[in-house]
Amino acid sequence: MNDTRTRADLRRGLGRPVEQSHQAHRHLVRLLDDDPHPALRQAAYAVAALIAARPVRRQDREDSDTTETTETETADPGASEAGAEAAGPGDAATPPEVSEAGGLSGTEAARRYRSDNLGAHLAAGVNEGALAPGSAEAELHLYARQSAATIIHRLPCLIRNLTSQGVAIHWPVLLDDLRYWDSRRDVIATRWFDSYFRTLDFSEPSESSETAVDKRETPKEP
């Protein structure tokens, strides 16, 4: 299978619901259960599209113990990653919304979900000067009031802005957070806020962070 074709097919689903992601079916259907929960399917399609949208030559700065989520140039980029990350729920030792996607142990998975979620990524974007602090925090507050479908619609612009500044996204955590968002929104949103303020650099802001301007276009209504 041609890498360029696969990536193009998956990218067409950026920010779109499953019902409007026709080109992605041929790459993702076989990687999911025969009858996946709609929330899992939507999350998997969304994350696969985000992975496929990364620049081909950009290497995500992932930890060595999460090699399954680093940049790969397989025959099915993005699709195989999203499928491998769509695992079942974790055991009772991990938070209810946490699954052990990516093959992590319960303890390691719990740590990942506390430290490598979207809140931490937004704070990293602020620390790198990619986002203004006010904009990043406002984004978090906005997300905390939205449905998973609305977040998925807004994510491509945000993720593109973060990854362009070298912020590494932990895809298994993002996938599970989107998967469980509508049923456990308050729990996940609180975890995002905790991670944001724990990761944010509260030292004297640099000139770059004070003048950071988000270059994300306003998402169009689906």
Side-chain angles (χ1 to χ4, degrees):
M1 184 180 298
N2 183 273
D3 288 4
T4 302
R5 162 74 182 279
T6 302
R7 288 181 179 274
D9 285 347
L10 295 175
R11 281 198 303 269
R12 291 190 182 97
L14 275 172
R16 295 179 177 274
V18 170
E19 294 78 12
Q20 297 177 15
S21 304
H22 305 299
Q23 290 84 0
H25 295 319
R26 71 193 306 267
H27 307 293
L28 299 178
V29 166
R30 68 185 184 278
L31 299 177
L32 299 172
D33 294 334
D34 290 342
D35 187 22
H37 190 283
L40 169 59
R41 188 173 189 180
Q42 181 64 82
Y45 276 55
V47 170
L50 291 168
I51 292 173
R54 293 180 298 176
V56 175
R57 296 184 181 278
R58 183 175 296 282
Q59 298 292 323
D60 287 348
R61 296 181 298 187
E62 306 289 354
D63 293 339
S64 60
D65 60 348
T66 58
T67 55
E68 75 282 349
T69 63
T70 56
E71 181 73 42
T72 59
E73 298 303 325
T74 64
D76 226 2
S80 58
E81 292 181 64
E85 290 157 6
D91 57 34
T94 59
E97 78 279 9
V98 171
S99 77
E100 294 184 12
L104 302 176
S105 67
T107 301
E108 177 63 11
R111 186 185 72 79
R112 284 291 185 188
Y113 283 81
R114 289 194 304 268
S115 62
D116 286 335
N117 55 56
L118 191 64
H121 300 333
L122 279 166
V126 173
N127 296 343
E128 293 292 333
L131 297 172
S135 297
E137 189 172 341
E139 194 86 357
L140 268 182
H141 283 285
L142 176 63
Y143 280 16
R145 302 191 301 269
Q146 304 300 325
S147 66
T150 300
I151 293 176
I152 286 170
H153 178 61
R154 294 183 63 88
L155 273 179
C157 298
L158 175 63
I159 297 298
R160 181 166 57 250
N161 199 32
L162 292 174
T163 56
S164 69
Q165 297 298 316
V167 176
I169 307 300
H170 198 274
W171 303 110
V173 173
L174 180 60
L175 186 147
D176 266 2
D177 282 351
L178 294 176
R179 173 186 180 182
Y180 292 107
W181 182 264
D182 285 336
S183 61
R184 297 188 60 83
R185 180 179 63 185
D186 291 344
V187 172
I188 299 171
T190 298
R191 180 156 44 77
W192 286 5
F193 277 109
D194 288 349
S195 296
Y196 177 78
F197 289 111
R198 285 175 179 146
T199 306
L200 190 64
D201 183 0
F202 283 97
S203 61
E204 190 68 22
S206 63
E207 182 178 350
S208 60
S209 64
E210 289 179 330
T211 59
V213 177
D214 295 339
K215 298 180 180 179
R216 293 168 286 150
E217 64 269 22
T218 302
K220 299 179 181 178
E221 293 300 323

